[in-house]
Amino acid sequence: MAEVETSETILFFPSRLHEDHPRRETLRLSHLDADRNLEVPVRTVRFYAGRKDYNAAQQFDDITGALSVALSCYYPLAGALKRGRPDDRLAVHCQAGQGVPVVRASSRRTQAYFSDLLSSAVDSLAPGPEISEMLEHPLTLQVTFFTCGGYSLGMCVHHCLCDGAGATLFLSAVAEIARGASEMSTRPVWARDKLLGPRQLPRVEVDFSPFLRTKGRISDPYGGGTFAREYFHVSDEGLERLRAQMQGAPESPTFTSFEAVVAFIWRSRVRASEVVPDTKVKLVFSMDVRRLLRPCLPTGYWGNGCVPVYAQTTAGELSGRPQMETAELIRRSKRGVTAEYVQSFIDFQELHYADGITVGENSCGFTDWRHLDHSSVDFGTGGPTSVLPLSFKLLGCLDLCFLLPYPSVGGVKKGGFRALVSISADALPAFREEMKSLAET
């Protein structure tokens, strides 16, 4: 018997038509949303402890009832994605009668059984529609109940509609209503093509050519490849030891945990993969620019608010030079992200979208989920004990690493954090050896 059994899929509609929601309209996406590398599903699962005085039926009704209310303002999530002319970009087509599918499921297992697995079992806790199906329903949810009384919320959303912060903002609104609020405290903001659109005369002041390729229409910028996935513990002691080693002289800069760990993992992956020394290798990570722009993006803006940031060197230089220099390379890349960088990236998308834009080979991707406001997604039984990403096609890379907080057990969080790494199976044994020093206490 399957680990997870689905009982039904129900379509939930906005509880009322919001005043901003005409009977029929087409909403344009921003040029950050329309990045071809974001034409992928983002699948996540959030685990909850549940409450003894709440049965499964009550919890399901609370979540789905709140979903219907929230969709009155977040109605584009119930829309359909269609390509427009002449550039073939996606847009959201909204009309009355559209809804969001919610799968109801159960498992004979306890929540603890799934919380650290990387298998088809945990993968079955979130919907997995084909990308073609997601054009009709860009958001699908799944609520799964466990024998221990806990439950999980699986989510599959088309990346062009939101990033991790945007998805959290939406789910926080649903959770706020589920806890009894009459309306959400933060009103969602669209206006995407106006807030993050190209200049009237697009111009690219930042040179992206070392990092991005434009060569003909590319239906799948990710290509093929088979990768293994594994969790790696990063202890507080291991992190501080690494940062101290990178600091060098007393007057040297102190690197952030992100700069230090990413520099270490990037080098370790390239070493373990035995990349030829003179091969160019790239690092790409996402950086939130919501507060960088002037004016800042509105608090309720829930579209993609991150830009990709790049660093490049050769495999030989990365493996042979002090890690402090790699951390400094990452720091310089971060500091190079200005308002002009963001606008140039948007204009680059405007000028080259039809060409097909990819990151290319030998690229490692990193995304940091440690500081997303996961605790705000509380449906009345407490915030999630754990949040896991299930997708590995992000940032134009398959060779991806998530930095994740540890699950909360009884309100107490374990020290350190986890790195969830996707890497070729052949390189995994050597990479494990490289990572041991970060786990030591």
Side-chain angles (χ1 to χ4, degrees):
M1 184 175 289
E3 301 279 18
V4 176
E5 299 283 346
T6 59
S7 57
E8 58 183 342
T9 300
I10 309 171
L11 202 61
F12 286 89
F13 305 93
S15 60
R16 64 184 184 277
L17 286 185
H18 195 266
E19 59 267 22
D20 292 340
H21 187 349
R23 301 297 296 181
R24 184 186 297 269
E25 71 173 335
T26 297
L27 295 172
R28 295 179 63 185
L29 296 166
S30 80
H31 274 48
L32 295 188
D33 298 325
D35 183 345
R36 284 189 185 275
N37 292 310
L38 302 191
E39 293 186 10
V40 292
V42 177
R43 302 175 64 240
T44 57
V45 59
R46 289 169 166 81
F47 292 92
Y48 292 87
R51 271 173 33 188
K52 292 182 179 179
D53 58 338
Y54 256 43
N55 60 39
Q58 287 176 305
Q59 191 65 69
F60 187 81
D61 289 346
D62 282 354
I63 293 173
T64 53
L67 170 67
S68 291
V69 175
L71 286 175
S72 299
C73 294
Y74 283 93
Y75 63 88
L77 285 168
L81 293 169
K82 298 181 181 180
R83 296 195 181 277
R85 296 179 178 177
D87 55 11
D88 212 31
R89 292 178 194 268
L90 291 171
V92 188
H93 290 249
C94 303
Q95 61 185 40
Q98 293 172 316
V100 169
V102 181
V103 180
R104 182 168 181 168
S106 61
S107 174
R108 295 177 301 163
R109 299 284 190 176
T110 65
Q111 180 187 132
Y113 173 79
F114 292 94
S115 60
D116 276 336
L117 286 178
L118 291 172
S119 68
S120 58
V122 72
D123 197 65
S124 63
L125 295 177
E130 297 294 328
I131 195 66
S132 57
E133 298 176 78
M134 294 193 68
L135 297 180
E136 186 65 27
H137 292 294
L139 170 66
T140 306
L141 300 175
Q142 177 176 324
V143 185
T144 305
F145 296 96
F146 307 111
T147 56
C148 59
Y151 64 95
S152 66
L153 177 66
M155 182 179 192
C156 181
V157 62
H158 198 294
H159 202 339
C160 76
L161 285 177
C162 57
D163 54 16
T168 301
L169 190 66
F170 161 66
L171 289 176
S172 297
V174 177
E176 190 175 18
I177 295 165
R179 295 196 306 271
S182 58
E183 59 182 33
M184 60 198 72
S185 57
T186 302
R187 185 186 180 92
V189 174
W190 189 267
R192 300 192 180 192
D193 57 328
K194 295 178 181 178
L195 292 169
L196 292 173
R199 288 178 273 221
Q200 189 170 8
L201 293 176
R203 63 182 190 275
V204 180
E205 302 290 344
V206 176
D207 184 12
F208 294 104
S209 61
F211 313 112
L212 296 176
R213 293 185 177 183
T214 56
K215 53 176 186 180
R217 285 184 179 271
I218 300 171
S219 58
D220 182 4
Y222 293 89
T226 303
F227 291 82
R229 287 179 278 174
E230 190 163 316
Y231 289 109
F232 294 91
H233 174 54
V234 180
S235 68
D236 290 333
E237 296 84 355
L239 175 59
E240 287 311 307
R241 190 166 53 246
L242 176 64
R243 293 174 68 186
Q245 291 168 356
M246 288 185 177
Q247 185 168 356
E251 65 275 10
S252 299
T254 300
F255 295 105
T256 66
S257 62
F258 179 85
E259 292 160 354
V261 168
V262 169
F264 181 91
I265 293 178
W266 185 22
R267 185 181 74 165
S268 297
R269 293 165 91 164
V270 169
R271 281 182 169 180
S273 300
E274 298 182 345
V275 180
V276 176
D278 61 355
T279 303
K280 288 184 178 180
V281 291
K282 277 178 276 191
L283 170 73
V284 54
F285 57 93
S286 94
M287 185 167 170
D288 194 320
V289 298
R290 288 169 174 81
R291 299 190 180 279
L292 172 70
L293 302 176
R294 293 293 179 268
C296 298
L297 292 179
T299 304
Y301 188 83
W302 58 282
N304 286 280
C306 296
V307 294
V309 187
Y310 308 95
Q312 183 171 265
T313 183
T314 67
E317 291 173 342
L318 182 62
S319 298
R321 69 186 175 196
Q323 290 189 89
M324 180 177 68
E325 294 182 15
T326 302
E328 182 58 36
L329 177 64
I330 296 169
R331 171 175 287 186
R332 287 199 304 270
S333 297
K334 289 168 60 179
R335 288 178 174 172
V337 180
T338 61
E340 178 55 48
Y341 180 102
V342 177
Q343 191 61 62
S344 284
F345 184 80
I346 290 170
D347 289 356
F348 185 87
Q349 291 286 333
E350 170 69 8
L351 294 171
H352 297 289
Y353 178 86
D355 301 331
I357 303 169
T358 68
V359 178
E361 298 81 21
N362 298 307
S363 300
C364 293
F366 288 82
T367 185
D368 192 350
W369 281 25
R370 293 174 298 164
H371 308 298
L372 292 178
D373 189 16
H374 296 304
S375 62
S376 65
V377 188
D378 172 6
F379 297 102
T381 60
T385 58
S386 182
V387 182
L388 300 181
L390 302 179
S391 296
F392 272 83
K393 285 186 175 182
L394 296 173
L395 296 169
C397 302
L398 288 168
D399 196 358
L400 194 66
C401 173
F402 288 88
L403 304 183
L404 301 169
Y406 264 105
S408 173
V409 180
V412 178
K413 288 189 176 182
K414 180 179 177 179
F417 58 91
R418 294 184 292 178
L420 177 52
V421 178
S422 175
I423 190 171
S424 69
D426 290 342
L428 185 56
F431 183 73
R432 286 184 183 132
E433 290 300 313
E434 293 267 354
M435 291 294 290
K436 283 181 178 179
S437 65
L438 287 187
E440 294 173 355
T441 58

